[in-house]
Each structure stands twice: as C-alpha cells, then as structure tokens.
Coordinates of all heavy atoms in Angstrom, one line a residue:
M1 N 0.8 -1.2 0.0 CA 0.0 0.0 0.0 C 0.9 1.2 0.0 O 1.9 1.3 0.7 CB -0.9 0.0 1.2 CG -1.8 1.2 1.3 SD -3.0 0.9 2.6 CE -2.5 2.3 3.7
W2 N 0.5 2.2 -0.8 CA 1.3 3.4 -0.9 C 0.8 4.3 0.3 O -0.4 4.4 0.5 CB 1.0 4.2 -2.2 CG 1.7 3.6 -3.3 CD1 1.6 2.4 -3.9 CD2 2.7 4.3 -4.1 NE1 2.4 2.3 -4.9 CE2 3.2 3.4 -5.1 CE3 3.3 5.5 -4.0 CZ2 4.1 3.8 -6.1 CZ3 4.2 5.9 -4.9 CH2 4.6 5.0 -6.0
L3 N 1.7 4.9 1.0 CA 1.3 5.9 2.0 C 2.1 7.2 1.8 O 3.3 7.1 1.4 CB 1.8 5.4 3.4 CG 1.2 4.1 3.9 CD1 1.8 3.6 5.2 CD2 -0.3 4.3 4.1
K4 N 1.4 8.3 2.0 CA 2.2 9.6 1.9 C 3.0 9.7 3.2 O 2.4 9.7 4.3 CB 1.2 10.7 1.8 CG 0.7 10.9 0.3 CD 0.2 12.2 0.0 CE -0.1 12.4 -1.5 NZ -0.3 13.7 -1.9
V5 N 4.3 9.8 3.0 CA 5.1 9.9 4.2 C 6.1 11.2 3.9 O 6.1 11.7 2.8 CB 6.0 8.7 4.4 CG1 5.1 7.5 4.8 CG2 6.8 8.3 3.2
H6 N 6.8 11.5 4.9 CA 7.7 12.7 4.7 C 9.1 12.0 4.6 O 9.4 10.9 5.0 CB 7.6 13.6 5.9 CG 6.2 14.2 6.0 ND1 5.8 15.2 5.1 CD2 5.2 13.9 6.8 CE1 4.5 15.5 5.4 NE2 4.1 14.7 6.4
V7 N 10.0 12.9 4.1 CA 11.4 12.4 3.8 C 12.0 11.8 5.0 O 12.8 10.8 4.9 CB 12.2 13.6 3.3 CG1 13.7 13.2 3.2 CG2 11.7 14.1 1.9
F8 N 11.8 12.3 6.2 CA 12.5 11.8 7.4 C 11.7 10.7 8.1 O 12.0 10.4 9.3 CB 12.8 13.0 8.3 CG 13.8 13.9 7.7 CD1 13.4 15.2 7.3 CD2 15.1 13.5 7.3 CE1 14.3 16.1 6.7 CE2 16.0 14.4 6.7 CZ 15.6 15.7 6.4
T9 N 10.7 10.2 7.5 CA 9.9 9.1 8.1 C 10.9 7.8 8.1 O 11.4 7.6 7.0 CB 8.6 8.8 7.4 OG1 7.8 10.0 7.5 CG2 7.9 7.6 8.0
P10 N 11.0 7.1 9.2 CA 11.9 5.9 9.1 C 11.5 5.0 8.0 O 10.4 4.7 7.7 CB 11.6 5.3 10.5 CG 11.2 6.4 11.4 CD 10.4 7.3 10.5
G11 N 12.5 4.5 7.4 CA 12.3 3.5 6.3 C 12.1 4.0 4.9 O 12.0 3.3 4.0
T12 N 12.1 5.4 4.8 CA 11.9 5.9 3.4 C 13.1 6.2 2.8 O 14.2 6.3 3.3 CB 11.0 7.2 3.6 OG1 11.8 8.1 4.3 CG2 9.7 7.0 4.2
Y13 N 13.0 6.4 1.4 CA 14.2 6.8 0.6 C 13.7 7.8 -0.4 O 12.4 7.9 -0.6 CB 14.9 5.6 -0.1 CG 14.0 4.9 -1.0 CD1 14.0 5.1 -2.4 CD2 13.2 3.8 -0.6 CE1 13.3 4.4 -3.3 CE2 12.5 3.1 -1.4 CZ 12.5 3.4 -2.8 OH 11.7 2.7 -3.7
V14 N 14.5 8.5 -1.0 CA 14.2 9.6 -1.9 C 14.5 9.2 -3.3 O 15.6 8.6 -3.6 CB 14.9 10.9 -1.5 CG1 14.6 12.1 -2.4 CG2 14.6 11.3 -0.1
V15 N 13.6 9.6 -4.2 CA 13.9 9.3 -5.7 C 13.9 10.6 -6.4 O 12.9 11.3 -6.3 CB 12.8 8.3 -6.2 CG1 13.0 8.1 -7.7 CG2 12.7 7.1 -5.4
Y16 N 15.0 10.9 -7.1 CA 15.0 12.2 -7.8 C 15.1 11.9 -9.4 O 16.0 11.3 -9.8 CB 16.3 13.0 -7.5 CG 16.4 13.5 -6.1 CD1 17.1 12.9 -5.2 CD2 15.7 14.7 -5.9 CE1 17.2 13.5 -3.9 CE2 15.8 15.3 -4.6 CZ 16.5 14.7 -3.6 OH 16.6 15.2 -2.4
P17 N 14.0 12.2 -10.1 CA 14.1 12.0 -11.6 C 15.0 13.2 -12.1 O 14.6 14.3 -12.0 CB 12.6 12.2 -12.0 CG 11.8 12.7 -10.9 CD 12.7 12.6 -9.6
M18 N 16.1 12.8 -12.6 CA 17.1 13.8 -13.0 C 16.9 14.2 -14.4 O 17.2 15.3 -14.8 CB 18.5 13.3 -12.8 CG 18.8 12.8 -11.4 SD 18.9 14.0 -10.1 CE 20.5 14.8 -10.5
A19 N 16.6 13.2 -15.3 CA 16.4 13.5 -16.7 C 15.6 12.3 -17.2 O 15.3 11.4 -16.5 CB 17.8 13.4 -17.4
P20 N 15.2 12.4 -18.5 CA 14.3 11.3 -19.0 C 15.0 9.9 -18.9 O 14.3 8.9 -18.8 CB 14.1 11.7 -20.4 CG 14.2 13.1 -20.5 CD 15.3 13.4 -19.4
N21 N 16.3 9.8 -18.8 CA 16.9 8.5 -18.7 C 17.8 8.4 -17.5 O 18.6 7.5 -17.4 CB 17.8 8.3 -20.0 CG 18.8 9.4 -20.1 OD1 18.8 10.4 -19.5 ND2 19.8 9.1 -21.0
V22 N 17.6 9.2 -16.5 CA 18.4 9.1 -15.3 C 17.5 9.3 -14.0 O 16.8 10.3 -14.0 CB 19.6 10.2 -15.2 CG1 20.3 10.1 -13.9 CG2 20.5 10.0 -16.4
I23 N 17.6 8.4 -13.1 CA 16.9 8.5 -11.8 C 17.9 8.3 -10.7 O 18.7 7.4 -10.8 CB 15.8 7.5 -11.7 CG1 14.7 7.7 -12.7 CG2 15.2 7.5 -10.3 CD1 13.6 6.7 -12.7
M24 N 17.9 9.2 -9.7 CA 18.8 9.0 -8.6 C 18.0 8.6 -7.4 O 17.0 9.2 -7.0 CB 19.6 10.3 -8.2 CG 20.5 10.2 -7.1 SD 21.6 11.6 -6.8 CE 20.4 12.9 -6.3
Y25 N 18.4 7.4 -6.8 CA 17.8 6.9 -5.6 C 18.7 7.2 -4.4 O 19.9 6.9 -4.4 CB 17.6 5.4 -5.7 CG 16.6 5.0 -6.8 CD1 17.0 4.8 -8.1 CD2 15.3 4.8 -6.5 CE1 16.1 4.4 -9.1 CE2 14.3 4.4 -7.5 CZ 14.8 4.3 -8.7 OH 13.9 3.9 -9.7
C26 N 18.2 7.7 -3.3 CA 19.0 8.1 -2.1 C 18.4 7.3 -0.9 O 17.3 7.6 -0.5 CB 18.9 9.6 -1.9 SG 19.5 10.6 -3.3
Y27 N 19.3 6.4 -0.5 CA 18.8 5.6 0.7 C 19.5 6.0 1.9 O 20.7 6.3 1.9 CB 19.2 4.1 0.3 CG 18.5 3.5 -0.8 CD1 19.1 3.5 -2.1 CD2 17.3 2.9 -0.7 CE1 18.5 3.0 -3.2 CE2 16.7 2.4 -1.8 CZ 17.3 2.4 -3.0 OH 16.6 1.9 -4.1
P28 N 18.9 6.0 3.1 CA 19.6 6.3 4.3 C 20.6 5.2 4.7 O 20.4 4.0 4.3 CB 18.4 6.4 5.3 CG 17.3 5.6 4.8 CD 17.5 5.7 3.3
N29 N 21.5 5.5 5.5 CA 22.6 4.5 5.9 C 22.1 3.8 7.2 O 22.6 4.0 8.2 CB 23.9 5.2 6.2 CG 25.0 4.2 6.3 OD1 24.9 3.0 5.9 ND2 26.1 4.6 7.0
E30 N 21.0 3.0 7.0 CA 20.4 2.2 8.1 C 19.7 1.1 7.5 O 19.5 1.0 6.3 CB 19.4 3.2 8.9 CG 18.3 3.7 8.0 CD 17.5 4.8 8.7 OE1 18.0 5.6 9.5 OE2 16.2 4.8 8.4
Q31 N 19.3 0.1 8.4 CA 18.6 -1.0 8.0 C 17.2 -0.6 7.5 O 16.6 0.3 8.0 CB 18.4 -2.1 9.1 CG 19.7 -2.7 9.5 CD 20.2 -3.7 8.4 OE1 19.4 -4.1 7.5 NE2 21.4 -4.0 8.4
P32 N 16.6 -1.2 6.5 CA 17.1 -2.4 5.7 C 18.0 -1.9 4.5 O 18.4 -2.8 3.8 CB 15.8 -3.0 5.3 CG 14.9 -1.9 5.0 CD 15.2 -0.9 6.1
W33 N 18.2 -0.6 4.4 CA 18.9 -0.1 3.2 C 20.4 -0.4 3.1 O 21.0 -0.3 2.1 CB 18.6 1.4 3.1 CG 17.2 1.6 3.1 CD1 16.5 2.4 4.0 CD2 16.2 1.2 2.1 NE1 15.2 2.4 3.7 CE2 15.0 1.7 2.5 CE3 16.3 0.4 1.0 CZ2 13.8 1.4 1.9 CZ3 15.1 0.2 0.2 CH2 13.9 0.7 0.7
T34 N 21.0 -0.8 4.2 CA 22.4 -1.1 4.2 C 22.7 -2.3 3.3 O 23.8 -2.5 2.9 CB 23.0 -1.4 5.6 OG1 22.2 -2.4 6.3 CG2 23.0 -0.2 6.4
K35 N 21.7 -3.1 2.9 CA 21.8 -4.2 2.0 C 22.3 -3.7 0.6 O 22.8 -4.4 -0.2 CB 20.5 -5.0 1.8 CG 20.1 -5.7 3.0 CD 18.8 -6.3 2.8 CE 18.2 -6.8 4.1 NZ 16.8 -7.4 3.9
V36 N 22.0 -2.4 0.3 CA 22.4 -1.8 -1.0 C 23.7 -1.0 -1.0 O 24.0 -0.3 -1.9 CB 21.2 -1.0 -1.7 CG1 20.0 -1.9 -2.0 CG2 20.9 0.2 -0.8
D37 N 24.4 -1.1 0.2 CA 25.7 -0.4 0.3 C 26.6 -0.6 -0.9 O 27.4 0.3 -1.2 CB 26.3 -0.6 1.6 CG 25.7 0.2 2.8 OD1 24.9 1.1 2.5 OD2 26.1 -0.2 3.9
R38 N 26.6 -1.8 -1.3 CA 27.6 -2.2 -2.3 C 27.4 -1.4 -3.6 O 28.3 -1.3 -4.5 CB 27.5 -3.7 -2.6 CG 26.2 -4.1 -3.2 CD 26.2 -5.6 -3.5 NE 24.8 -5.9 -4.0 CZ 24.2 -7.0 -4.0 NH1 24.8 -8.0 -3.5 NH2 23.0 -7.2 -4.5
F39 N 26.2 -0.8 -3.8 CA 26.0 0.0 -5.0 C 26.2 1.5 -4.7 O 26.1 2.3 -5.6 CB 24.5 -0.1 -5.4 CG 24.1 -1.6 -5.7 CD1 23.2 -2.2 -4.9 CD2 24.7 -2.2 -6.8 CE1 22.9 -3.5 -5.2 CE2 24.3 -3.5 -7.1 CZ 23.4 -4.2 -6.4
S40 N 26.7 1.8 -3.6 CA 27.0 3.2 -3.3 C 28.1 3.7 -4.3 O 29.1 3.0 -4.6 CB 27.6 3.3 -1.9 OG 27.9 4.7 -1.6
D41 N 27.9 5.0 -4.7 CA 28.9 5.6 -5.7 C 29.0 4.8 -7.0 O 30.0 4.9 -7.6 CB 30.2 5.8 -5.0 CG 30.2 6.6 -3.8 OD1 29.4 7.5 -3.7 OD2 30.9 6.3 -2.8
C42 N 27.9 4.1 -7.4 CA 27.9 3.4 -8.6 C 26.7 3.7 -9.5 O 25.8 4.3 -9.0 CB 27.8 1.8 -8.3 SG 29.2 1.2 -7.5
R43 N 26.9 3.5 -10.7 CA 25.7 3.6 -11.6 C 25.2 2.2 -11.8 O 26.0 1.2 -11.9 CB 26.2 4.2 -13.0 CG 26.4 5.7 -12.9 CD 26.6 6.3 -14.2 NE 27.9 5.8 -14.7 CZ 28.4 5.9 -15.9 NH1 27.6 6.5 -16.8 NH2 29.6 5.4 -16.3
S44 N 23.9 2.1 -11.8 CA 23.2 0.8 -12.0 C 22.4 0.9 -13.2 O 21.4 1.7 -13.2 CB 22.5 0.4 -10.7 OG 21.8 -0.9 -10.9
P45 N 22.6 0.0 -14.2 CA 21.7 0.1 -15.3 C 20.2 -0.3 -15.0 O 20.0 -1.3 -14.3 CB 22.3 -0.9 -16.4 CG 23.1 -1.8 -15.5 CD 23.5 -1.0 -14.3
V46 N 19.3 0.5 -15.4 CA 17.9 0.2 -15.2 C 17.2 0.3 -16.6 O 17.4 1.3 -17.3 CB 17.3 1.2 -14.2 CG1 15.7 1.0 -14.1 CG2 17.9 1.1 -12.8
E47 N 16.5 -0.7 -16.9 CA 15.8 -0.7 -18.2 C 14.5 0.2 -18.1 O 13.7 -0.2 -17.3 CB 15.4 -2.1 -18.6 CG 14.8 -2.1 -20.0 CD 14.5 -3.5 -20.5 OE1 14.8 -4.5 -19.8 OE2 13.9 -3.7 -21.6
F48 N 14.5 1.2 -18.9 CA 13.3 2.1 -18.8 C 12.2 1.6 -19.8 O 12.1 2.0 -20.9 CB 13.7 3.5 -19.2 CG 14.3 4.3 -18.2 CD1 15.6 4.0 -17.7 CD2 13.6 5.3 -17.5 CE1 16.2 4.7 -16.7 CE2 14.2 6.0 -16.5 CZ 15.5 5.7 -16.1
T49 N 11.4 0.7 -19.3 CA 10.3 0.0 -20.0 C 9.1 1.0 -19.9 O 9.1 1.8 -18.9 CB 10.0 -1.4 -19.5 OG1 9.5 -1.3 -18.2 CG2 11.2 -2.3 -19.7
P50 N 8.1 0.9 -20.7 CA 6.9 1.7 -20.5 C 6.3 1.4 -19.2 O 5.8 2.3 -18.5 CB 6.0 1.2 -21.6 CG 7.0 0.8 -22.7 CD 8.1 0.1 -22.0
D51 N 6.3 0.1 -18.7 CA 5.7 -0.1 -17.4 C 6.5 0.5 -16.3 O 5.9 1.0 -15.3 CB 5.6 -1.7 -17.1 CG 4.5 -2.3 -18.0 OD1 3.6 -1.6 -18.5 OD2 4.6 -3.6 -18.2
F52 N 7.8 0.5 -16.3 CA 8.6 1.1 -15.3 C 8.4 2.6 -15.3 O 8.2 3.2 -14.2 CB 10.1 0.8 -15.6 CG 11.1 1.5 -14.6 CD1 11.2 1.0 -13.3 CD2 11.8 2.6 -15.0 CE1 12.1 1.6 -12.5 CE2 12.6 3.2 -14.1 CZ 12.8 2.7 -12.8
V53 N 8.3 3.2 -16.4 CA 8.1 4.7 -16.4 C 6.7 5.0 -15.9 O 6.6 5.9 -15.1 CB 8.3 5.2 -17.9 CG1 7.8 6.6 -18.0 CG2 9.7 5.0 -18.4
E54 N 5.8 4.2 -16.2 CA 4.4 4.5 -15.8 C 4.4 4.4 -14.2 O 3.8 5.1 -13.5 CB 3.4 3.5 -16.4 CG 2.0 3.8 -16.0 CD 1.0 2.9 -16.8 OE1 1.3 2.6 -17.9 OE2 0.0 2.6 -16.1
S55 N 5.1 3.3 -13.7 CA 5.1 3.1 -12.3 C 5.8 4.3 -11.5 O 5.3 4.8 -10.5 CB 5.8 1.8 -11.9 OG 6.0 1.7 -10.5
E56 N 7.0 4.7 -12.1 CA 7.7 5.8 -11.4 C 6.9 7.1 -11.6 O 6.9 7.9 -10.6 CB 9.1 6.0 -12.1 CG 10.0 4.9 -11.8 CD 10.4 4.9 -10.3 OE1 10.7 5.9 -9.7 OE2 10.4 3.7 -9.8
N57 N 6.2 7.3 -12.7 CA 5.4 8.5 -12.8 C 4.3 8.5 -11.9 O 3.9 9.6 -11.3 CB 4.9 8.7 -14.3 CG 6.0 9.1 -15.2 OD1 7.1 9.5 -14.8 ND2 5.7 9.0 -16.5
A58 N 3.6 7.4 -11.7 CA 2.5 7.3 -10.7 C 3.0 7.6 -9.3 O 2.4 8.3 -8.5 CB 1.9 5.9 -10.7
G59 N 4.3 7.2 -9.0 CA 4.8 7.5 -7.7 C 5.0 9.0 -7.5 O 4.8 9.6 -6.4
Q60 N 5.5 9.7 -8.6 CA 5.7 11.1 -8.5 C 4.3 11.9 -8.3 O 4.2 12.8 -7.5 CB 6.4 11.6 -9.7 CG 7.8 11.1 -9.9 CD 8.7 11.5 -8.8 OE1 8.7 12.7 -8.3 NE2 9.6 10.6 -8.3
V61 N 3.3 11.4 -9.0 CA 2.0 12.0 -8.9 C 1.5 11.8 -7.5 O 0.9 12.7 -6.8 CB 1.0 11.4 -9.9 CG1 -0.5 11.9 -9.6 CG2 1.4 11.8 -11.3
F62 N 1.6 10.5 -7.0 CA 1.1 10.2 -5.6 C 1.8 11.1 -4.6 O 1.1 11.6 -3.7 CB 1.4 8.7 -5.3 CG 0.9 8.3 -4.0 CD1 -0.4 8.0 -3.8 CD2 1.7 8.3 -2.9 CE1 -0.9 7.6 -2.5 CE2 1.2 8.0 -1.6 CZ -0.1 7.6 -1.5
M63 N 3.1 11.3 -4.7 CA 3.8 12.1 -3.6 C 3.8 13.6 -3.9 O 4.1 14.4 -2.9 CB 5.2 11.6 -3.5 CG 5.4 10.2 -3.0 SD 4.6 9.9 -1.4 CE 5.6 10.9 -0.4
A64 N 3.4 14.1 -5.0 CA 3.3 15.5 -5.3 C 2.4 16.2 -4.3 O 1.3 15.7 -4.1 CB 3.0 15.7 -6.7
S65 N 2.8 17.3 -3.9 CA 1.9 18.2 -3.1 C 1.5 19.4 -3.8 O 0.6 20.1 -3.4 CB 2.6 18.5 -1.7 OG 3.8 19.2 -2.0
R66 N 2.3 19.8 -4.9 CA 1.9 21.0 -5.5 C 2.1 21.0 -7.0 O 1.3 21.4 -7.7 CB 2.7 22.2 -4.9 CG 2.2 23.5 -5.3 CD 2.7 24.6 -4.5 NE 2.2 25.9 -4.9 CZ 2.5 27.0 -4.4 NH1 3.5 27.1 -3.6 NH2 2.0 28.1 -4.9
F67 N 3.3 20.6 -7.5 CA 3.7 20.7 -8.9 C 4.0 19.3 -9.5 O 4.6 18.5 -8.8 CB 4.9 21.6 -9.1 CG 4.7 23.0 -8.7 CD1 5.2 23.6 -7.6 CD2 3.8 23.8 -9.5 CE1 5.0 24.9 -7.2 CE2 3.6 25.1 -9.1 CZ 4.2 25.7 -8.0
L68 N 3.8 19.2 -10.8 CA 4.3 18.1 -11.6 C 4.9 18.7 -12.8 O 4.4 19.7 -13.4 CB 3.2 17.2 -12.1 CG 2.5 16.3 -11.0 CD1 1.3 15.6 -11.6 CD2 3.5 15.3 -10.4
F69 N 6.1 18.2 -13.2 CA 6.8 18.7 -14.3 C 6.9 17.6 -15.4 O 7.1 16.5 -15.1 CB 8.2 19.2 -14.0 CG 8.2 20.3 -13.0 CD1 8.3 20.1 -11.6 CD2 8.2 21.6 -13.4 CE1 8.2 21.1 -10.7 CE2 8.1 22.7 -12.6 CZ 8.2 22.4 -11.2
S70 N 6.8 18.0 -16.7 CA 6.9 17.0 -17.8 C 7.4 17.7 -19.0 O 7.1 18.9 -19.2 CB 5.5 16.5 -18.1 OG 5.5 15.7 -19.2
P71 N 8.2 17.0 -19.8 CA 8.7 17.6 -21.0 C 7.6 17.8 -22.1 O 7.8 18.5 -23.1 CB 9.8 16.6 -21.6 CG 9.5 15.3 -20.9 CD 8.8 15.7 -19.6
Q72 N 6.5 17.1 -21.9 CA 5.3 17.2 -22.8 C 4.1 17.8 -22.0 O 4.0 17.6 -20.8 CB 4.8 15.9 -23.4 CG 5.8 15.1 -24.2 CD 6.6 14.1 -23.5 OE1 6.2 13.6 -22.4 NE2 7.7 13.7 -24.0
N73 N 3.3 18.6 -22.7 CA 2.2 19.2 -22.1 C 1.0 18.2 -22.2 O 0.0 18.4 -22.8 CB 1.8 20.5 -22.8 CG 0.7 21.3 -22.0 OD1 0.4 21.0 -20.9 ND2 0.1 22.2 -22.7
D74 N 1.2 17.1 -21.5 CA 0.1 16.0 -21.5 C 0.1 15.4 -20.1 O 1.0 14.6 -19.7 CB 0.5 14.9 -22.6 CG -0.6 13.8 -22.6 OD1 -1.6 13.9 -21.9 OD2 -0.4 12.9 -23.4
F75 N -0.9 15.8 -19.4 CA -1.1 15.3 -18.0 C -2.3 14.5 -17.8 O -2.8 14.3 -16.8 CB -1.1 16.5 -17.0 CG 0.2 17.3 -17.0 CD1 0.5 18.4 -17.9 CD2 1.2 16.9 -16.2 CE1 1.7 19.0 -17.8 CE2 2.5 17.5 -16.1 CZ 2.7 18.6 -17.0
A76 N -2.8 13.9 -19.0 CA -4.0 13.1 -18.9 C -3.9 11.9 -18.0 O -4.7 11.6 -17.1 CB -4.5 12.7 -20.3
D77 N -2.8 11.2 -18.1 CA -2.6 10.0 -17.2 C -2.4 10.4 -15.8 O -2.9 9.7 -14.9 CB -1.3 9.2 -17.8 CG -1.6 8.5 -19.0 OD1 -2.8 8.3 -19.4 OD2 -0.6 8.1 -19.7
A78 N -1.6 11.4 -15.6 CA -1.4 11.9 -14.2 C -2.7 12.4 -13.6 O -3.0 12.0 -12.4 CB -0.4 13.1 -14.2
S79 N -3.6 13.0 -14.3 CA -4.8 13.5 -13.8 C -5.8 12.3 -13.5 O -6.4 12.3 -12.4 CB -5.6 14.4 -14.8 OG -4.8 15.6 -15.0
A80 N -5.8 11.3 -14.4 CA -6.6 10.2 -14.2 C -6.2 9.4 -12.9 O -7.0 8.9 -12.1 CB -6.6 9.3 -15.4
F81 N -4.8 9.3 -12.8 CA -4.3 8.5 -11.6 C -4.6 9.3 -10.3 O -5.0 8.7 -9.3 CB -2.8 8.3 -11.7 CG -2.2 7.6 -10.5 CD1 -2.5 6.3 -10.2 CD2 -1.4 8.3 -9.7 CE1 -2.0 5.6 -9.1 CE2 -0.9 7.7 -8.5 CZ -1.1 6.4 -8.3
A82 N -4.4 10.6 -10.3 CA -4.6 11.5 -9.2 C -6.1 11.3 -8.6 O -6.2 11.3 -7.4 CB -4.3 12.9 -9.4
K83 N -7.0 11.1 -9.5 CA -8.4 11.0 -9.1 C -8.7 9.7 -8.3 O -9.6 9.6 -7.6 CB -9.3 11.1 -10.3 CG -9.4 12.5 -10.8 CD -10.2 12.6 -12.1 CE -10.1 14.0 -12.8 NZ -10.7 14.0 -14.1
T84 N -7.7 8.8 -8.5 CA -7.9 7.4 -7.8 C -7.3 7.4 -6.4 O -7.5 6.4 -5.7 CB -7.3 6.3 -8.7 OG1 -5.9 6.4 -8.6 CG2 -7.9 6.3 -10.1
I85 N -6.6 8.4 -6.1 CA -5.9 8.5 -4.8 C -6.9 8.8 -3.7 O -7.5 9.9 -3.8 CB -4.7 9.4 -4.8 CG1 -3.7 9.0 -5.9 CG2 -4.0 9.5 -3.5 CD1 -2.6 10.0 -6.2
S86 N -7.0 8.0 -2.7 CA -7.9 8.3 -1.6 C -7.2 9.3 -0.7 O -6.0 9.2 -0.4 CB -8.2 7.1 -0.8 OG -8.9 6.1 -1.5
K87 N -8.0 10.3 -0.2 CA -7.4 11.3 0.7 C -7.4 10.7 2.1 O -8.2 9.9 2.5 CB -8.3 12.5 0.7 CG -8.2 13.4 -0.6 CD -8.9 14.6 -0.4 CE -7.8 15.7 -0.1 NZ -8.3 17.0 0.0
D88 N -6.4 11.0 2.8 CA -6.3 10.7 4.2 C -7.4 11.4 5.0 O -7.4 12.6 4.9 CB -4.9 11.1 4.8 CG -4.7 10.7 6.2 OD1 -5.7 10.5 7.0 OD2 -3.5 10.6 6.6
P89 N -8.2 10.7 5.7 CA -9.3 11.5 6.4 C -8.8 12.4 7.5 O -9.6 13.2 7.9 CB -10.1 10.3 7.0 CG -9.3 9.1 7.0 CD -8.3 9.3 5.9
N90 N -7.6 12.3 7.9 CA -7.0 13.1 8.9 C -6.4 14.4 8.3 O -6.0 15.3 9.1 CB -5.9 12.4 9.7 CG -6.5 11.2 10.4 OD1 -7.6 11.3 11.0 ND2 -5.8 10.1 10.3
E91 N -6.3 14.5 7.0 CA -5.8 15.6 6.3 C -6.9 16.7 6.1 O -8.0 16.3 5.8 CB -5.1 15.3 5.0 CG -3.9 14.6 5.1 CD -3.2 14.4 3.7 OE1 -3.7 15.0 2.7 OE2 -2.2 13.6 3.6
A92 N -6.5 17.9 6.2 CA -7.5 19.0 6.0 C -7.6 19.2 4.5 O -6.7 19.0 3.7 CB -7.0 20.3 6.6
D93 N -8.8 19.5 4.0 CA -9.0 19.8 2.6 C -8.3 21.1 2.2 O -8.3 22.0 3.0 CB -10.5 20.0 2.3 CG -11.2 18.7 2.3 OD1 -10.5 17.6 2.1 OD2 -12.5 18.7 2.5
D94 N -7.8 21.2 1.0 CA -7.1 22.4 0.5 C -8.1 23.2 -0.3 O -8.9 22.8 -0.9 CB -5.9 22.0 -0.4 CG -4.7 21.4 0.4 OD1 -4.6 21.7 1.6 OD2 -4.0 20.6 -0.2

C-alpha cells in the first residue's frame, strides 16, 4: 500500500528524476537499506520500459503536493491517476 510519508519518516528513501533517462535513488545509511551499500557511488543500469516509467510517474503523482513537471504538455494519465488516490481522512481539505 502506498502511504504519503515525509522524507524523514523511518524506512523511506528519496527518488530524484534527474532526466528522462536518469533517476537518482537516495537511501539512508540504516537497515534495511544497508543491503544496497555495495551499490554506493555506482551507476546501475535500469531498463526504462513503458511499465517502469508508468510506475515511477505514478509515484511522483502520488507524492506530489503542488507541482508536476513534464517535457510534454500532456497530463491526462497523471490526472486520471490522481483522481484514484484516496485522501487521508486526517488531512485537511485544501
């Protein structure tokens, strides 16, 4: 289940989409992420399939609080996905 969390919530990591073909993943130096220490300071090839891109884009839409950026002026998929996200009943309406 996806949960909206903040950067400093235990167990989270940060994903920065840097360019259409580059994503930077930032993991804290704690369990369970120490398992990926061997990849520190390395590039890891990731195949950018349509399904992978759609999944990463959905994650960006889910976590966005204000802006979405795209090289194309087409936000139909993002808008459709955003409408399926349930609001936390504890959050105030904007």
Side-chain angles (χ1 to χ4, degrees):
M1 181 170 114
W2 283 64
L3 298 172
K4 279 202 175 191
V5 295
H6 300 285
V7 172
F8 297 113
T9 300
T12 61
Y13 62 95
V14 178
V15 179
Y16 291 102
M18 308 289 285
N21 60 345
V22 177
I23 297 176
M24 182 170 64
Y25 293 89
C26 301
Y27 298 93
N29 191 18
E30 59 190 35
Q31 289 292 339
W33 305 115
T34 53
K35 294 176 189 174
V36 296
D37 280 349
R38 64 181 179 202
F39 300 113
S40 182
D41 301 323
C42 295
R43 288 187 289 168
S44 177
V46 175
E47 185 178 356
F48 280 74
T49 64
D51 287 342
F52 176 77
V53 171
E54 186 174 323
S55 174
E56 289 297 313
N57 287 347
Q60 295 298 320
V61 171
F62 182 82
M63 293 304 293
S65 59
R66 190 164 184 188
F67 296 109
L68 291 174
F69 296 92
S70 174
Q72 295 99 18
N73 189 16
D74 180 4
F75 294 92
D77 288 342
S79 295
F81 176 72
K83 291 175 186 171
T84 69
I85 300 170
S86 297
K87 288 188 102 176
D88 182 339
N90 298 316
E91 285 184 11
D93 287 338
D94 293 331

